[in-house]
Each structure stands twice: as C-alpha cells, then as structure tokens.
Amino acid sequence: MAEDEGITVKKGENFSEWYTQVLIKSEFFDYGDVSGTTIFRPYGYYVWERIQSFVDELFKADGISNTAFPLLIPKKFLEKEKEHIEGFSPEVAWVTKAGQSKLEEELAIRPTSETIMYPAFSRWIRSWRDLPLRYNQWNNVVRWEFKHPTPLLRNREFLWNEGHSVFADEESANDERDRILEIYEKTLRELLCLQGIKGKKTESEKFAGGVATYSFEFLLPDGRNVQGPDFHHDGTNFARAFDIAYLNKTGEKTYAFQNTYAISTRMLGVLLAVHGDDKGLVIPPGLSRYQVIIVPIYNEKNREEVLDYCRKIHKITSGSHRTHLDERSEYTPGWKYNYWELKGIPIRFEVGMREVKQSQITYVRRDTMEKGTMAFESVISQVEVILKSIGENLLKKSSDFLYSHIKFTDNLEEMKSLIADGNMAQANWCGKESCEKKIKDASGGKSTNMPFDIPVKAGLKCVCCREKAEFVVNFGKSY
Ligand SMILES: [Zn+2]
C-alpha cells in the first residue's frame, strides 16, 4: 500500500486521529451527510450483522419474539410519561410538515419506542393469560444530540435492539433481568472479546421514566468511559401512563411490570477502539468478514503451481471457516499484507513455492503478528486452534487493560487526578445524590455504575461526606 493508504499516526500518540483514520481507511465506516449520522459500509455492517444474529438467536431461545413498530410517534403519546419526555425532549427530532402543508399533530421520530409500542400493548393485554409479553425489534433511532459527534460512539442516529417486556409481577420482571444481562455478557465476551463492568446505574444516571438501570461499562484507550448494553426495569411507571393492565385470577385490574433492554452500534466503536493497533483494525474471529486471507507469492514461472495449491487450501478451509483467496494480480504480496492487516483479518496465509514443495502453510496471526507454519493436512484443526487463541488473547488483553485502570481511592482530590490520567476512579459512596453531584464537580467525571459483586471497602466512609458508605461506585470521563 502507498504511504497515505495506511495509518499515519500511532494509537498511543493521537488516539482520536488514529480512531478516525482506522475507521475510514479500513472501509468500515463513512460519514453521513447530516452531521452525526453514519454510513455502515459492507465491511463494517457485516460485523453488526454477526452481533445481531448471535444476540437474536439467544433472545429467541429465551422466548422473545421480534416485531416492527412505526418510526413516527404522535406528540400526545410521547408526552404521556412525564419523566420520560423530560429526559428525551431536548433530543427529539420532529416531523412538522407533509409536502407544503403543516401537520395538525407534530410527529416525533422515535428516540426509543416505548411511547409508540405501549398504546398497542394496552389494547392487546387484557387478562393474566396474555402475560408475559416479550417483544423485541431491531431498528434505528434518532437522538438529536448537540455535543460534538464521534463516529459510532456519539451519533444522532444509531442501530440497536429494543427489547420490551411486560410481566404480571415484579419477580418475573427481575428474573428476566438476570437472563438478559447474561445474554449480553456472553455476547460481549465470546463474540466481541470485550470485558465490561456489569453494574447498576445511580438514580441520577438511570433511564428517563424507569425505576432502575443496569449496564455494562467500558473504558477506551483515551481514558473515556462508554456505556455498553443496558437493561431498564420500569416498574409500573409506563403501565400506569399507558394503561397496560390485566385482570388477575380474581378479576381485579392490576398494572403490569415492564422491562426494556438494548445493545447498539456504539459497541462497534468500543470494539475497534479497544482491539485496534498501529497497523489498523483487529477484528475478533467470530465477527470478521474473513477469518483467513490467503496471499499467494509467485513469479511468472511458478504462478499456476502456487495458485493451484492456494485454491486447494481455499477449497478445503472454506467449508468450515470464512476464508478468502486474494488472487488480484495488480497488487504485490506486500501490498496485500498491509491491506488485510488494516482491515484486521485474524489470520493471513503466505503461500509460495516453498510452501507448495513442503506441503505446508506459513501463517501470521493478526493480534500478535506471530509467524508460524502448519502442515497442509492439519490446516482446518490448526486454524480452529489459532482462532480460538486469538479470541482468548483479545479478551484477556481487554480485561487486563480495564482492570489495571480501575483505581480505588478514599480521597476526592485523588479521584480527579486518577480520572485525568485515564483511569476509572472507584470509591465508597453514601448513596446521596448531593454527594454524587459534589464528586462529579470535584473529579471531572460522572458516575458510570455501581459494579456488581464489589462490596463497600470495610472501615471506610463515603468519599465525599464521610458518612456511612452504602455503595461502591465508579466515576469516569464520558463520551
Ligand atoms: Zn456522602
């Protein structure tokens, strides 16, 4: 590749420039013409499709059904749940005209679909026999943010899943929470090879209109925090606003309990930012358009012999893996190495006359750039072993990076310097919103979540007011 086709900055030196170059030059992403919108090029969209189908299969196995609701929400519906509309109104895009005539009622473009789905839920749910109702949709939503957009991480339009469930009682609603968080965690670890922090959001950071929000939080190499998949328990808030009620077994009208949950294309940004390196993207084996790229090395004399051997390798591996033979004669092998490294393909085969003669294959793995050889007869099992090892290595690296950057402190001043140095600061907290706000002002970060399974540090009080600590909470700089 020519100099300007590759990445010209180092990830560790200028992260934001590196991030933009990697996304554009790998042909993963392009800018939409409206600021903050995204074009997913086929190479990038493929990764989203893999995530989508993996999650979708787990949802269906758990009894969730897909549905598709309209994009437009009548104004009166959007305004029905008070906290919900207060939370979203600054970012709602409106349709006010059709052709030249002004619409009688303005229509919102969905920022999320509670208010377009729940009037229908109210019609469909009559008795306890109609519950639970567990629906999901894969769609796009628009949130007209005014903060500076960052490709995939902060956008005005993004793709996601929206799960919306209705239960007769709170216990079954909470039971669903554990199962959905497990599905997301499996997806994050096994497919995206990413370690996140699972926890509960504080009251002030929870979903507008909900009762409790749970999330997976991530740390990017530039020290900023990104919220990943989340789950909201809405109690009966929306059920009361939209009259989602059922007659129980003794014939009494009872409000239903609801949950919502989502994973969005923002995770693609986290994926690329965490795994990528100075050569470009590093795509985990389960998500990559190709898992193996075969690059032939030949001269005029041995061209057909080398290509024949490459085709044989391609044929035998393509039954079990996504492999591609790059036969283009207009590019040199070296150019092809750089090209596929930039795109982050997990394994490269380098195949020349020496490999033909010895009936073997030279390979390079993208995550470590380690080189080795394998025998032709064992190519399928060897590829499987290397792909598995790449996945494990990426997850381990992501986990090591995350945990080495979560720093507990009992000192408010130190929280500020920890966050400024690219860490997530962890502290004991009393649970009062006034303290959370003071910590936020003093540290320059905001609360990300209260991690599960981490008890309050014994013997220490709230980092802010020095009263009894009830929670351990993480603070970080956000996108
Ligand atoms: Zn306090």
Side-chain angles (χ1 to χ4, degrees), residues 430 435 462 465:
C430 62
C435 277
C462 169
C465 67

Side-chain angles (χ1 to χ4, degrees), residues 246-450:
Y246 65 96
L247 294 179
N248 67 15
K249 287 178 184 171
T250 54
E252 292 159 309
K253 177 177 168 170
T254 314
Y255 285 111
F257 289 83
Q258 291 183 270
N259 294 327
T260 62
Y261 46 91
I263 183 170
S264 80
T265 44
R266 185 186 258 206
M267 279 318 293
L268 298 180
V270 178
L271 178 88
L272 307 185
V274 170
H275 294 319
D277 63 18
D278 291 343
K279 291 172 182 291
L281 301 179
V282 177
I283 307 284
L287 294 174
S288 187
R289 175 69 186 85
Y290 301 119
Q291 295 167 310
V292 179
I293 204 79
I294 307 164
V295 179
I297 309 160
Y298 52 76
N299 57 33
E300 284 302 304
K301 245 171 48 202
N302 58 30
R303 183 172 187 273
E304 279 317 303
E305 214 175 335
V306 167
L307 281 177
D308 275 353
Y309 183 58
C310 287
R311 286 176 193 136
K312 222 165 93 185
I313 296 168
H314 182 227
K315 192 165 176 226
I316 193 171
T317 52
S318 60
S320 52
H321 296 94
R322 297 188 292 279
T323 60
H324 176 68
L325 169 58
D326 189 348
E327 282 205 46
R328 292 176 293 179
S329 57
E330 66 271 36
Y331 297 115
T332 64
W335 188 95
K336 290 176 186 175
Y337 296 169
N338 293 338
Y339 178 86
W340 294 110
E341 275 168 11
L342 173 55
K343 282 182 146 54
I345 306 299
I347 302 175
R348 171 170 85 230
F349 283 174
E350 301 177 358
V351 181
M353 211 43 217
R354 194 177 60 149
E355 280 71 22
V356 176
K357 278 186 186 146
Q358 296 174 355
S359 196
Q360 66 176 30
I361 297 161
T362 298
Y363 70 86
V364 178
R365 52 186 278 180
R366 177 65 184 85
D367 61 332
T368 58
M369 298 307 289
E370 274 171 295
K371 203 169 184 164
T373 54
M374 61 176 78
F376 174 79
E377 306 88 75
S378 62
V379 59
I380 293 177
S381 60
Q382 284 296 302
V383 164
E384 197 49 44
V385 167
I386 297 168
L387 290 177
K388 190 162 174 274
S389 162
I390 292 175
E392 288 166 357
N393 177 44
L394 292 177
L395 177 61
K396 184 176 183 301
K397 272 170 70 182
S398 138
S399 175
D400 290 348
F401 171 76
L402 180 71
Y403 290 120
S404 65
H405 285 85
I406 302 174
K407 306 262 169 74
F408 185 91
T409 176
D410 186 36
N411 181 319
L412 202 51
E413 272 303 300
E414 199 184 28
M415 287 185 88
K416 186 178 179 176
S417 57
L418 284 172
I419 291 171
D421 288 344
N423 299 290
M424 285 171 101
Q426 190 169 78
N428 276 0
W429 172 49
C430 62
K432 283 196 304 253
E433 224 169 297
S434 56
C435 277
E436 186 182 353
K437 193 176 174 309
K438 276 183 205 157
I439 302 172
K440 187 175 172 180
D441 294 342
S443 69
K446 68 175 192 177
S447 74
T448 60
N449 67 14
M450 299 176 280

Side-chain angles (χ1 to χ4, degrees), residues 166-178:
V166 189
F167 295 94
D169 56 76
E170 186 144 40
E171 202 189 335
S172 1
N174 284 338
D175 186 48
E176 182 188 54
R177 172 194 64 206
D178 299 339

Side-chain angles (χ1 to χ4, degrees), residues 72-87:
L72 299 172
I73 308 174
K75 191 175 182 182
K76 62 172 183 290
F77 287 172
L78 191 72
E79 289 173 343
K80 265 194 174 175
E81 210 290 331
K82 195 173 146 281
E83 280 180 38
H84 184 71
I85 182 64
E86 275 171 16

